[in-house]
């Protein structure tokens, strides 16, 4: 591709104004949306798409494409215009359907809805957070697959456009700090410095020297003082690519550029300009004032050169890959399999199992052993923690550290940056070729929640290792003890929460997590030791819930537990059985998997005519009604926890066989 500075011609200007007017017209037609930012960013987008981005519109999934993420997702008409003009499977009719039910042009970019959209954005800061994950993935794949030292099969940039809001959000600070530390040199952020947010001028709330901030993170920084200066933008991107640090380009723009009454006005952020203002703006651009959705033929022809260019780029890469495959057939096969997220045959054959005599064992320790077995069998499985690897037990032994200069390492160190970790995991998976996990305490799932929610919304199968999962963790006290987290995570669509009751259930949950598609999986694991069941007794964990201990006589009572509280249920059952009450214990490690079983199975585990049921979980009771019904009881947490040894907490908060048995008896 040419990299000489762009000498702006009349045709360039026509293209830029086409992008602008498409955004204005689409927002006006929808009577909703964000016109001002696409108008201001059109020159930058034009430079990026025509001069720098390597992509193939006819194969948006080409693996070595450059990635582009619009972190300021509200400006998505910019991206839709670019995707349409450069020849993706997106038509002018789709643009006219902006923000309508079922359209390919939703109100914020949604992964999976529109070809060429790499990540769902809109919650400010997430896209830039994702971009760090994309760059991590590129570096990881490059380190593990590239062989030649010349033209390589994994070699692409990750670009993100971000706004004032993105940079104010905390996650951008975490993510940028991490990227700088890791020296992710192929990451480039273009900052839309327009001095405007929704409430007005950024002076109201924001005075950061953005370039100084990024320089302090170890980024390469540049400033372009005129967002219409395509040559300067082009030169800045060229310099950014050449630098061996992540790059930050501040571009001073003017929201709603060219609108006589609305340029530099916060009103242009999130409302249609209005027909009169649109006509006046078109006049300023030298555009036919009454034309709507006008795409001049020469503009389309010029922009669609991206189709041939993309085909060539991909063909070139395919030749490179074919040569690679001839030389390194095993690596090439693995590369393709991992891109397809294929688990190696028999990958789960060597997952650990335990005997009761091996216990008691914390489920976090069982998880550690399982992680290491998975890591041996699945080379693209990798992850890390937010500075809690020794506590979450997530180190891959012999995996090496993913660090600047050693991007082949499989242990990521996200630092104390849970939110960036969540966002980066999303980016790593969206990039392709990796199956990532991230770890912290269950309580700090709150610190990564916006990213977890986007993983769920986007159906990203990230795996979260959330340990120290209840008041049972002990002395660290109520700040560290999760209460409402399980309920709130279970309330999230597409989110799978698993809370295994022992080591063997933990290994099963991990296997299910690896095989899971369609959303993230969170494993809630204990800090404290718990006894181990016979492996054969817990096989039913595969179905989310199962009868762990059967009633000795006629079934009168069902005790349902998860995690460490299954032990409490077992103790209570012994007391109740001794009193002649036929009691079964159901272990329910995963509600959503259990709910997906057929009715016959569910009714077998929880017979509908047995209404005396007690749920036992050291967490907020919300949601348990569905399993205990109107007549059931819940032994849970209705307050915050306390600082005391874990066993004391469990006793004081009523997680004892005696209390559960007493609660149960009242139901009979
Ligand atoms: C996390 C989050 N908080 C709030 C919003 C609502 N919101 C959308 S855009 C925006 C700020 C707009 O300013 P800026 O980011 O500078 O974008 P510009 O208007 O300049 O394009 C806000 C607060 C959001 N989308 N995400
Ligand atoms: Mg702004």
């Amino acid at each position: 591709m040419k990299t000489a500075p762009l000498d702006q011609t009349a045709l360039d200007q026509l293209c830029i104004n086409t992008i602008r007017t498409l955004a204005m017209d689409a927002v006006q037609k929808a009577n909703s949306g964000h016109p001002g930012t696409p108008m201001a960013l059109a020159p930058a987008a034009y430079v990026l798409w025509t001069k720098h981005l390597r992509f193939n519109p006819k194969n948006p999934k080409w693996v070595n494409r450059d990635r582009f993420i619009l972190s300021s997702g509200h400006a998505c008409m910019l991206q839709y215009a670019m995707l349409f003009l450069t020849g993706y499977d997106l038509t002018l009719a789709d643009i006219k359907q902006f923000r309508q039910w079922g359209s390919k042009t939703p109100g914020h970019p949604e992964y999976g809805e529109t070809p060429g959209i790499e990540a769902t954005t809109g919650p400010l800061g997430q896209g830039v957070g994702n971009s760090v994950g994309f760059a991590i993935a590129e570096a990881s794949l490059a380190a593990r697959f590239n062989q030649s030292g010349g033209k390589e099969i994994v070699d692409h940039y990750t670009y993100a456009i971000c706004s004032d809001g993105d940079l104010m959000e905390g996650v951008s600070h975490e993510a940028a700090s991490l990227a700088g530390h890791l020296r992710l040199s192929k990451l480039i952020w273009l900052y839309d410095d327009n001095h405007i947010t929704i409430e007005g001028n950024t002076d109201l709330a924001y005075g950061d020297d953005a370039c100084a901030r990024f320089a302090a993170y170890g980024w390469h920084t540049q400033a372009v003082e005129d967002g219409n200066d395509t040559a300067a933008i082009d030169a800045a991107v060229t310099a950014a690519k050449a630098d061996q640090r992540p790059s930050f380009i501040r571009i001073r723009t003017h929201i709603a550029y060219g609108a006589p009454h609305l340029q530099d006005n916060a009103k242009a952020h999130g409302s249609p300009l209005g027909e009169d203002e649109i006509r006046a703006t078109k006049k300023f651009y030298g555009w036919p004032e009454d034309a709507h959705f006008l795409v001049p033929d020469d503009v389309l022809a010029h922009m669609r050169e991206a189709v041939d260019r993309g085909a060539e780029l991909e063909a070139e890469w395919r030749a490179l890959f074919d040569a690679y495959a001839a030389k390194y057939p095993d690596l090439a096969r693995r590369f393709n399999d991992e891109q397809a997220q294929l688990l190696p045959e028999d990958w789960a054959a060597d997952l650990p199992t335990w005997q009761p005599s091996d216990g008691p064992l914390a489920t976090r320790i069982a998880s550690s052993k399982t992680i290491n077995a998975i890591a041996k069998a699945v080379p693209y499985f990798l992850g890390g923690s937010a500075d809690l690897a020794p506590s979450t037990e997530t180190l891959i032994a012999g995996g090496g550290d993913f660090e600047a200069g050693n991007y082949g390492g499989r242990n990521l160190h996200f630092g104390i940056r849970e939110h960036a970790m969540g966002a980066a995991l999303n980016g790593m998976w969206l990039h392709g070729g990796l199956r990532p996990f991230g770890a912290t305490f269950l309580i700090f799932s709150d610190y990564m929640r916006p990213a977890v929610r986007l993983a769920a919304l986007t159906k990203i199968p990230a795996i979260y290792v959330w340990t120290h999962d209840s008041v049972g963790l002990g002395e660290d006290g109520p700040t560290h003890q999760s209460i409402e987290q399980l309920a709130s995570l279970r309330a999230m669509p597409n989110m799978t929460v698993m809370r295994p009751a022992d080591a063997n259930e933990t290994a099963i949950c991990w296997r299910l997590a690896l095989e899971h598609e369609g959303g993230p999986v969170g494993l809630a694991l204990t800090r404290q030791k718990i006894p181990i069941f016979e492996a054969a007794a817990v096989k039913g964990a595969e179905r989310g819930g199962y009868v762990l201990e059967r009633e000795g006589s006629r079934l009168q009572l069902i005790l349902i537990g998860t995690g460490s509280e299954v032990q409490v249920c077992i103790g209570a059952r012994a007391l109740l059985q001794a009193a002649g009450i036929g009691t079964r214990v159901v272990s329910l490690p995963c509600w959503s998997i259990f709910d997906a079983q057929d009715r016959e199975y569910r009714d077998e585990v929880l017979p509908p005519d047995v209404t005396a049921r007690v749920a036992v979980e050291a967490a907020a009771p919300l949601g348990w009604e569905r399993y205990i019904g109107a007549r059931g009881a819940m032994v849970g947490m209705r307050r915050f926890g306390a600082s005391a040894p874990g066993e004391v907490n469990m006793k004081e908060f009523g997680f004892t066989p005696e209390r559960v048995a007493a609660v149960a008896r009242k139901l009979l």
Side-chain angles (χ1 to χ4, degrees), residues 34 36-37 72 74-75 108 122-125 163-166 168-169 192 194-198 202 255 269:
H34 302 78
T37 305
S72 36
H74 59 272
H108 290 84
L124 291 164
S163 64
D164 298 305
D166 285 298
M168 281 190 243
E169 287 293 349
D192 177 30
N194 65 7
H195 295 204
I196 291 289
T197 65
I198 289 176
T202 46
I255 195 165
H269 160 84

Side-chain angles (χ1 to χ4, degrees), residues 3 9 22 38 60 116 129 159 171 212 265 268 272 290 355 442 452 535 547 564 613:
T3 50
T9 63
L22 280 176
Y159 296 92
V171 65
N265 189 323
D290 293 318
Q355 307 297 324
L442 179 57
V452 172
V547 181
S564 43
R613 302 176 180 190

Side-chain angles (χ1 to χ4, degrees), residues 33 49 68 102 172-173 180 229 235 249 293 332 373 401 473 509 512 563 567 582:
W49 257 264
F68 172 81
S172 75
H173 292 253
D229 186 345
I249 308 174
F293 297 101
D401 294 329
L473 71 85
C509 286
L512 296 176
Q567 288 298 329

Side-chain angles (χ1 to χ4, degrees), residues 510-529:
W510 258 113
R511 177 165 59 73
L512 296 176
L514 263 279
E515 288 168 352
H516 190 74
E517 293 171 3
V521 176
L523 297 160
L525 304 172
T526 67
R527 168 180 184 258
Q528 74 273 28
K529 291 179 177 180

